[in-house]
Each structure stands twice: as structure tokens, then as C-alpha cells.
Amino acid sequence: MTDIESRIDTTRPHTARIWNYWTGGKDNYPVDREAGDRIRTLHPGIGEYAKADRLFLGRAVRHLAGQEGIRQFLDIGTGLPSADNTHEVAQSVAPDARVVYVDNDPLVLAHARALLVGTPEGRTDYLDADLRDIDTILAAAAKTLDLSQPVALMLLGVVIFIEDDEESYAIVRRLLDALAPGSHLVLSHTVTHPDMPDVDEAVAFWNEHGTPRLTQRTPAAVARYFDGLELLEPGVVSCSAWRPETPAPDVAMYAGVGRK
């Protein structure tokens, strides 16, 4: 057994693998599928959140690479490889785009090679690190990215794992402070909302049975991550409502894009 394999716990469901299951992937185990089905029973639409979040990623990256001219992407909390990963979307618009992925999940690490195949003109790299390891992330990212030039900081569904509010805001601020003017924050976050009480029940089930624990925040609390940034229209909204190509129902995953 390799060191990576020894770190994979197949006895408890894991959020990255459930996300993979909901989006039609094959990198999951029976325990993940069982938990995923149970959560979907509590909140039938929750499987659509993963798909909506992935579609938001694509729209945001295409906009940044196309209209904003961003050529560098730091994607923290990568998750398991699937269709339309950040480098695939970015390099389809700008073949010379550079992407650094960061995650600390051993199964993601095991599949990291799938994330490292980019265009000849561009470059992709992968770092095994936790979101809290800010100095490590920035030092390693600087080997691939020029941090004196604008970078898109991608934090999709990852600050939900930082339970303390002030710690989570401080992490995002420290990362942004290290980036050049013209950089952008792309962030999505599960919310608690009075119109969606079944989401709270599903998250409570997850936190009792799964790993790692999730923290919900209100839409206003999610908007606070963008303090001091110029929010791109339409602001912080359901990720399915961020510049959709076709109308889609709101989901309890809010997102936004802000310019430094």
C-alpha cells in the first residue's frame, strides 16, 4: 500500500467523493454513495448543487480568461478531477494560461496527474496542502505563477470547512493581500436560508456522519468575503444565477466574483 492509499479512509463518507458521485463520477466508494443517497432523500435537490457549482466555475473562468484577460489561476480546494476542470476551461480560451491546483485530499492527490495535462503553451501544477497553509501555498504557487501579475483565486466550496468565521475571513484576506491589483476572487459557499430549511437538515446529517464537517453561512456572511473588492455583476447570488446561459432554479450555494 502506498502512502497515499494509506491516507484514504473508505469507512467514512467524504465530501469530495460524494460530490464526485453526485456529478456522475466514478471516484467514490459504497459508503459515499450511501451517504449521498441519504442526503438526497433529506434534500432531493442537493445533487444539483454540485452540478450548478461546476457550471458556475466554467462561466467564471471563461469570463476571466476572455473578458478580463486573466492568464493565471490558483485553484484551492480542487476536488476530484471531472469534466471542465479549471485548466481545461481557461486554456480553451487562452492556451497560455497557467493553473496551480491545491488540495489535501489523498484521493485527489492520487488522481492529480489528470489535472496536469494542459496545453503546450500553458502550464499546470498541483500542490498537496491545506487551505490554512497559506505561506506554503504562496511559495509553491510562485514557482509556476507570477504573483506580481493578476491571478484568479478560486475558492469554490472550500471555506465551508473553516468553522470559525473570523479565521475563514482572515485566510481569504491573507491570500488576496499577496496577489497583485487586478486579481480576482471566485468563491462559492453553501448557505443557510429560511426558504431552504431542508438544506440545514442535510448538512446536519452530513456533520454527524461524514468528514470533514461543513459550516453554513448566510448570504450576507458569504458576501463579506468580497469586502474591499469590486463585485462583478450580478453580485453574490445563487451560483446558478451568476450569468447563466439558460435560466435555472436557485440553489443554496451562493457565489460571486470580485476584482481587487
Side-chain angles (χ1 to χ4, degrees), residues 112-155:
R113 280 189 293 272
L115 295 170
L116 301 181
V117 181
T119 60
E121 304 94 327
R123 185 174 171 187
T124 57
D125 201 359
Y126 179 89
L127 173 63
D128 179 18
D130 186 271
L131 174 61
R132 296 176 175 87
D133 299 333
I134 298 173
D135 292 338
T136 298
I137 290 172
L138 293 172
K143 297 176 182 178
T144 300
L145 309 178
D146 179 357
L147 300 186
S148 70
Q149 299 298 314
V151 173
L153 173 62
M154 314 285 296
L155 296 172

Side-chain angles (χ1 to χ4, degrees), residues 201-258:
E201 186 179 1
V203 170
F205 172 85
W206 170 258
N207 284 340
E208 182 179 352
H209 300 281
T211 183
R213 289 177 57 86
L214 312 180
T215 297
Q216 293 169 278
R217 294 184 169 92
T218 65
V222 176
R224 185 180 160 192
Y225 289 104
F226 296 90
D227 283 357
L229 303 180
E230 178 189 349
L231 264 177
L232 276 59
E233 292 293 337
V236 178
V237 296
S238 168
C239 63
S240 59
W242 197 91
R243 305 189 181 191
E245 294 166 3
T246 56
D250 283 356
V251 297
M253 175 74 74
Y254 271 49
V257 180

